[in-house]
């Protein structure tokens, strides 16, 4: 009986080690337009996502990212938002701009999330284009796969293969028990 288990174990581990271990292809961004609005979502398999909503009167950018990307994002924001009012609250950074006593721009950076809001009717075309370009740069930065910087490497694929092999082994052992019960009857 133990030999049978070893045979099944060997069979399943050899199958899973021969399966190709190429990383998954990152998803391609989906674009959709609707009534003057442009909305783009990009999600990767490692918990990074961005969303851009560009309507007739506002521009919104939201992102969720791995903690390891925060310093890069923070540095990019500091460089691109030099002329904006900066308020640091603990580990949170908030850049803002007011016009005629109203908030027209705000960028909030937290540990693993960020938000940008721009009221397009109250800023110049130049300011809008600058923030839109920043959003595009942030989207590329957040959704890129940098294997060495963010720890996304072959180890995660190997772990997933081990989890998959364990589940398959459990199923095979259950099938073996059922066959043995049927043979003993």
């Amino acid at each position: 009986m133990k030999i049978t288990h070893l045979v099944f174990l060997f069979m399943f581990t050899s199958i899973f080690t021969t399966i190709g271990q190429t990383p998954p292809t990152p998803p391609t961004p989906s674009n959709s337009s609707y009534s003057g609005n442009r909305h783009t979502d990009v999600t990767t398999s490692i918990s990074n996502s961005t969303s851009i909503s560009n309507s007739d009167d506002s521009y919104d950018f939201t992102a969720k990212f791995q903690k390891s990307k925060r310093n890069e994002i923070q540095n990019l924001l500091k460089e691109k938002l030099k002329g904006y009012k900066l308020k640091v609250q603990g580990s949170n950074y908030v850049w803002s701009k007011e016009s005629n006593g109203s908030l027209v721009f705000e960028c909030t950076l937290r540990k693993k999330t960020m938000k940008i809001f721009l009221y397009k009717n109250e800023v110049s075309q130049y300011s809008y284009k600058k923030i839109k370009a920043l959003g595009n740069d942030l989207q590329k930065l957040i959704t890129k796969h940098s294997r060495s910087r963010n720890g996304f490497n072959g180890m995660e694929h190997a772990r997933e293969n081990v989890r998959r092999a364990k589940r398959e082994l459990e199923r095979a052992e259950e099938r073996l028990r059922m066959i043995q019960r049927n043979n003993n009857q």
Side-chain angles (χ1 to χ4, degrees):
M1 186 161 131
K2 287 186 178 187
I3 293 174
T4 308
H5 282 207
L6 288 174
V7 169
F8 275 109
L9 178 63
F10 177 76
M11 182 176 76
F12 284 107
T13 55
S14 65
I15 287 171
F16 285 109
T17 56
T18 59
I19 293 175
Q21 296 182 1
T22 58
T25 308
T28 57
S30 62
N31 293 321
S32 60
S33 296
Y34 49 93
S35 66
N37 295 337
R38 182 172 169 84
H39 185 80
T40 306
D41 283 324
V42 177
T43 305
T44 66
S45 60
I46 51 176
S47 302
N48 296 322
S49 65
T50 62
S51 175
I52 296 174
S53 177
N54 194 1
S55 70
D56 292 336
D57 59 351
S58 67
Y59 175 86
D60 293 288
F61 176 92
T62 57
K64 181 180 175 185
F65 48 86
Q66 288 183 313
K67 193 176 176 181
S68 62
K69 291 192 179 257
R70 188 178 192 282
N71 285 338
E72 253 183 302
I73 294 167
Q74 182 177 323
N75 291 338
L76 179 64
L77 291 172
K78 281 182 176 179
E79 175 189 331
K80 300 290 183 174
L81 299 176
K82 282 184 182 172
Y84 293 86
K85 180 180 170 186
L86 173 61
K87 187 176 180 182
V88 180
Q89 302 166 325
S91 63
N92 298 334
Y93 285 70
V94 180
W95 289 265
S96 61
K97 182 176 183 180
E98 291 184 5
S99 176
N100 299 325
S102 296
L103 186 67
V104 295
F105 171 80
E106 185 173 71
C107 174
T108 306
L109 175 64
R110 293 186 172 84
K111 286 182 184 179
K112 295 182 183 181
T113 62
M114 71 165 299
K115 257 187 154 173
I116 295 176
F117 171 79
L118 177 70
Y119 188 57
K120 290 164 53 173
N121 296 339
E122 296 295 323
V123 297
S124 68
Q125 187 68 15
Y126 172 78
S127 293
Y128 161 67
K129 286 182 179 181
K130 180 180 171 183
I131 297 304
K132 184 179 174 188
L134 173 62
N136 291 336
D137 291 345
L138 286 164
Q139 187 175 48
K140 289 175 188 171
L141 174 66
I142 291 168
T143 59
K144 78 177 178 180
H145 293 287
S146 176
R147 295 170 194 263
S148 60
R149 271 194 231 143
N150 63 21
F152 182 70
N153 57 27
M155 188 178 302
E156 188 59 36
H157 293 291
R159 284 186 183 127
E160 181 57 33
N161 285 339
V162 167
R163 285 189 289 268
R164 204 175 300 131
K166 284 179 180 178
R167 287 190 305 266
E168 190 60 34
L169 178 60
E170 289 169 1
R171 287 186 207 115
E173 287 174 337
E174 182 59 33
R175 286 192 296 267
L176 177 62
R177 283 190 290 273
M178 287 174 49
I179 293 169
Q180 287 175 337
R181 272 185 257 146
N182 288 338
N183 287 341
N184 290 334
Q185 292 179 0

